[in-house]
Amino acid sequence: MRKILFSDQDLQVICENIRRLTDAVLNQDSISMIVSRQFISDLIECNIELGKTSPATARSIALDLLPVIQSRQISYEEQVVKLFMALADLHEKEGSFKDAANMLRAMPLENGQRSYSSEMKLNIYVRLADLAMRYGDGDEAETFINRASVVSNDLQNNKNVYIPFKIKFAEVLNYRQKFVEAARKYYDLATFENLERSDQLMALSNAIVCTIFAPPGAKRSRMLGMLFNNEKCKPIPSYSIVKNMYLGKIIQNDEMVDFEKSLTDNQRSMHGWAVMHRAFLEHNIIAISASFTNMPLIQLARLLGIDEVQVRSLIRFLAEDILLQMIIDNRLVATIDQISGFIHFKR
């Protein structure tokens, strides 16, 4: 078997030889099921070893082998699952995240002949959620992490699998821009027993970032209060933003710049300046509305720190996109008179 797999022959010849050998073993009545299953398992292990040095070759062999044993899945389910896992690893290694996910999705976790542990299911669903984010499908990522949540209850005492699940859940919500929910997941994670101090601070830092990104509202206000009153948050650089937001103060441009610099590359690339800038704009609008009953839109734009050259060109965007949406969402109680160019705040 190893001689065939690791030979210098053409890939097509190797695949054909493996297929013939496999057919001979599986179709030979004199060979017991125990022996044939062990043969397939050994073949998959050898191919996994081959994949470390020749991933493309190993992937082709595995894909060629899959239909041969999948047609006998009832008898070889363990080996089919093992091959799906190996193919997922190979696809992911090559950056084919969608193909890797398709391999994992094809595994008979819920409808197979065998019974699979909650831990295995959790790990697979978490991995599927991660892959979905990597190929840019937030809906699928949330679907898979919700499936993971269903099987996670039995594993709360197993921190080696439960904590990565909770982290991934928060990441998925963050990716979906469900910032308040993500912040709460990160905050809850920071309270886990036996979590390293550095991991606690990282979770709280992520909770702060998600809360800052969240649109104004009652849920965000509650998160701001929790973070503001948590002593462990105070050493985190972005805590000053939390403090000012909680106290209803206007966030200045230099504070926004410092906050952006404090973001990790992942945080910056996931949402970018646009999401962050809108979050600060909306917060500052709420802060201004607490101190004024009305004002010209152009004055509001200036108070929001919009560049003087751009003020007039951005008035319509401010009124029709930012302010109107906040009013529709009941996050701002106000009326806009675009004829006179005024906004009237109500309390």
Side-chain angles (χ1 to χ4, degrees), residues 155-169:
L155 299 165
Q156 294 186 27
N157 294 325
N158 186 346
K159 71 173 188 176
N160 291 329
V161 294
Y162 193 69
I163 289 177
F165 153 68
K166 296 294 284 187
I167 292 172
K168 192 59 61 181
F169 206 149

Side-chain angles (χ1 to χ4, degrees), residues 207-224:
I208 286 175
V209 170
C210 289
T211 302
I212 290 171
F213 279 176
K219 290 182 178 179
R220 191 191 73 155
S221 295
R222 283 194 292 271
M223 276 306 308
L224 285 171

Side-chain angles (χ1 to χ4, degrees), residues 50-100:
L50 176 64
K52 295 176 182 178
T53 54
S54 304
T57 300
R59 176 173 51 80
S60 296
I61 293 171
L63 287 171
D64 199 61
L65 178 63
L66 182 60
V68 177
I69 62 171
Q70 196 174 11
S71 62
R72 301 170 172 84
Q73 183 168 303
I74 293 177
S75 301
Y76 296 93
E77 185 173 314
E78 180 182 353
Q79 288 72 29
V80 169
V81 167
K82 195 172 185 179
L83 190 55
F84 275 133
M85 290 284 286
L87 277 165
D89 291 341
L90 289 167
H91 282 306
E92 185 173 0
K93 188 175 181 180
E94 294 182 329
S96 301
F97 304 125
K98 183 74 171 180
D99 290 333

